[in-house]
Every structure is written in structure tokens, then in C-alpha cells.
Amino acid sequence: MKYTEEQIKEKAHQIMKDLNGKYYFENCVNKAIFQKDEIVFAGKMKGKEIPSWLISIKAIADQLCFLHISDETGESLYYMNFSMVCFNVEKDKNGKYFKTEI
């Protein structure tokens, strides 16, 4: 494990703040669970088995979304909203995160 739970939660807050903008709230990051050998479900790394973090994100009306972060790179693998729609999460040259369709 390269990252601690606290480091990953900080990264999740940064990503969610960029993605949700004015709808971001401080206690949106719920739990972070380390997965030693996750088979990536979606995105650029789909089908690969890598160590990663699953972060549950509180959304509107007590719904949960899920952010998956690579333990190898500390970057997002993909984001799944409560409607089960998956998005890639990319970072621009200024370090700001944004969603793209898979």
C-alpha cells in the first residue's frame, strides 16, 4: 500500500471539489476501503487487476456514488454516480479534475 487512508481521503476531497464545484460539501467523503487486487470495472484501466481504493461519496438525497483511485498512482480510475453511470476523471494542465465520458 503506497497511500494511507487519510492521503486518499484528501485526494478524494480534492477531486470531488473540482467535479462538484458549488455543490461540493465538506463531509461528502464517507469511507475509503483499500482493495489489494481490484479488477477495474471501467475506464482506461478496465479489466486490469491493480491495488486501489474504493471511496464512497455522499450525494444528494442520501445517495452514494463511488470514486475509485489507484494506489499505484494516487489518481482516479473512474467515478460511478448513484445512477450507475461511470465517468473517467481526468486532470487538466492546471491540476483541476473534470469528468469525461467512458
Side-chain angles (χ1 to χ4, degrees):
M1 186 181 328
K2 289 185 178 181
Y3 292 90
T4 66
E5 182 177 348
E6 285 307 310
Q7 289 171 316
I8 290 299
K9 283 183 173 182
E10 285 177 32
K11 175 64 89 167
H13 276 286
Q14 177 186 3
I15 292 169
M16 296 312 299
K17 190 176 232 179
D18 287 351
L19 297 182
N20 290 340
K22 68 180 181 177
Y23 299 107
Y24 168 81
F25 53 98
E26 201 58 42
N27 65 346
C28 68
V29 175
N30 193 24
K31 292 181 183 177
I33 299 168
F34 179 72
Q35 300 173 309
K36 184 179 176 186
D37 298 312
E38 177 192 8
I39 297 175
V40 180
F41 175 75
K44 294 177 183 175
M45 301 289 287
K46 182 178 180 178
K48 297 192 180 201
E49 189 173 306
I50 62 170
S52 63
W53 290 87
L54 171 64
I55 298 93
S56 63
I57 306 292
K58 292 184 226 172
I60 55 173
D62 291 328
Q63 300 291 327
L64 284 180
C65 300
F66 298 96
L67 178 63
H68 296 256
I69 297 177
S70 168
D71 188 59
E72 294 174 343
T73 64
E75 294 297 334
S76 175
L77 297 168
Y78 63 96
Y79 175 78
M80 183 183 306
N81 70 13
F82 57 86
S83 299
M84 302 301 285
V85 176
C86 291
F87 299 92
N88 281 322
V89 177
E90 304 286 337
K91 186 166 45 170
D92 68 17
K93 63 183 178 183
N94 298 318
K96 183 172 173 117
Y97 291 93
F98 61 96
K99 287 188 258 186
T100 62
E101 292 187 24
I102 291 181

